[in-house]
Amino acid sequence: MNAELQACGLDVGSTTAKIVAIDRAGRMRWWHLEPAEPRVEEQVARLIDLAGTAGVDLQTAPLVATGYGRNLVAGAARTVTEITCHARGIRQEFPGGGVLVDIGGQDSKVIHISPQGAVVDFAMNDKCAAGTGRFLENTAARLGVALEDLGRLTLSSSDEVPITSTCTVFAESEVISLLAKGVRLEPILRGVHRSLVRRLVAMIRGIGAASPLLLSGGVAQNQAVAQLLSEEMGRPVQVSAHPQLVGAYGAALTALEMRPSRA
Ligand code: ADP
């Protein structure tokens, strides 16, 4: 066992599952991320075993679970909402509050965090795929573009073709028919990203824009999203260093705060 690993956070997302172990000072020491599986309980049990193999002593290191599947985590000392965990995780990296925009695979959230780290207000979109990573995933798959290349290709063109459909399914058809008409891929991608970003901007404005603007979630790895969001909002956007792990990290920090030695 590795005595340095003092607490664990597990984020069971709709698209990916992430587990993080931290040391006494709250530093991330070990993590693992993989695609979400339909048999959540089995996956969770395997991830917990994996943490054990990595040296986490789960008898002494508490585990906090978050994410949509958090209630299926047997062995969690506590379950905590994604909003609370994301706010806690991002505060460690960017103390002083702001507005966190988290874009995951099937939902997006905007969280207003006070300078003291409290959640002031939040908005969540889990109804419409067009404002989530799923929209970009589907578009990339349709166009035969790797997810990792989306951002670079999008930013490689300053031309943009607007996408007028508001629903993912219709937007995908629109993209295909634009390609069939001979429109270049890059300006279409720029239009697709603009459409996603405008949805986020509407959510941010609904919450009330507080500075700084912070970005997390798997989609934060797409540099075009950060750049277009910054353009639309007219201010800089700061991207988390481990954007997909913010929720799991926040869960681990919450677990660390539960340890009796720190009470
Ligand atoms: P959740 O927490 O909801 O399960 P994540 O925060 O893990 O979701 O984000 C998953 C999304 O991240 C995917 O839908 C995909 O769009 C996006 N994504 C994952 N990896 C990359 C990458 N390398 N580049 C761009 N986008 C990515």
Side-chain angles (χ1 to χ4, degrees):
M1 288 299 151
N2 181 346
E4 279 203 325
L5 304 176
Q6 297 267 312
C8 240
L10 176 53
D11 178 1
V12 188
S14 55
T15 305
T16 60
K18 315 92 176 155
I19 185 161
V20 162
I22 59 175
D23 66 15
R24 183 180 299 275
R27 285 182 297 243
M28 207 185 295
R29 286 304 184 107
W30 173 82
W31 59 269
H32 174 82
L33 177 149
E34 62 180 41
E37 290 171 8
R39 293 169 196 261
V40 178
E41 280 116 324
E42 285 176 23
Q43 180 169 29
V44 162
R46 193 169 44 69
L47 290 175
I48 291 176
D49 281 351
L50 197 63
T53 311
V56 181
D57 180 358
L58 289 155
Q59 300 298 321
T60 55
L63 171 88
V64 164
T66 189
Y68 101 108
R70 63 184 177 275
N71 293 322
L72 297 172
V73 180
R78 253 177 81 190
T79 57
V80 177
T81 69
E82 290 140 276
I83 300 295
T84 302
C85 286
H86 274 81
R88 181 67 192 88
I90 204 74
R91 173 155 69 90
Q92 198 78 358
E93 195 177 345
F94 297 102
V99 171
L100 173 66
V101 181
D102 180 273
I103 320 168
Q106 288 184 40
D107 68 41
S108 41
K109 343 183 208 303
V110 175
I111 311 172
H112 179 189
I113 304 162
S114 76
Q116 293 73 34
V119 174
V120 179
D121 197 5
F122 72 92
M124 187 150 169
N125 160 36
D126 56 4
K127 302 279 182 291
C128 167
T132 72
R134 175 58 68 88
F135 180 43
L136 296 181
E137 264 185 69
N138 290 359
T139 309
R142 283 280 198 138
L143 299 176
V145 174
L147 211 47
E148 293 72 22
D149 295 335
L150 267 186
R152 184 183 49 78
L153 280 173
T154 300
L155 294 178
S156 70
S157 164
S158 51
D159 296 339
E160 185 168 323
V161 177
I163 301 296
T164 54
S165 309
T166 49
C167 161
T168 323
V169 178
F170 294 136
E172 276 174 55
S173 314
E174 191 176 341
V175 164
I176 299 301
S177 78
L178 284 168
L179 276 177
K181 284 181 195 149
V183 179
R184 280 189 309 122
L185 177 70
E186 291 81 357
I188 298 176
L189 283 177
R190 218 178 156 94
V192 165
H193 281 70
R194 181 79 61 191
S195 146
L196 171 98
V197 163
R198 290 214 165 128
R199 282 170 188 278
L200 297 167
V201 166
M203 278 172 79
I204 297 168
R205 296 236 156 93
I207 285 290
S211 285
L213 208 46
L214 311 168
L215 195 59
S216 69
V219 176
Q221 295 169 98
N222 177 330
Q223 62 271 49
V225 172
Q227 182 163 324
L228 295 189
L229 185 59
S230 172
E231 270 176 29
E232 289 284 329
M233 293 298 297
R235 56 203 173 101
V237 170
Q238 288 172 290
V239 182
S240 164
H242 299 282
Q244 249 168 322
L245 301 177
V246 172
Y249 182 44
L253 290 165
T254 307
L256 186 65
E257 283 151 13
M258 288 169 56
R259 285 186 66 111
S261 57
R262 297 178 55 98

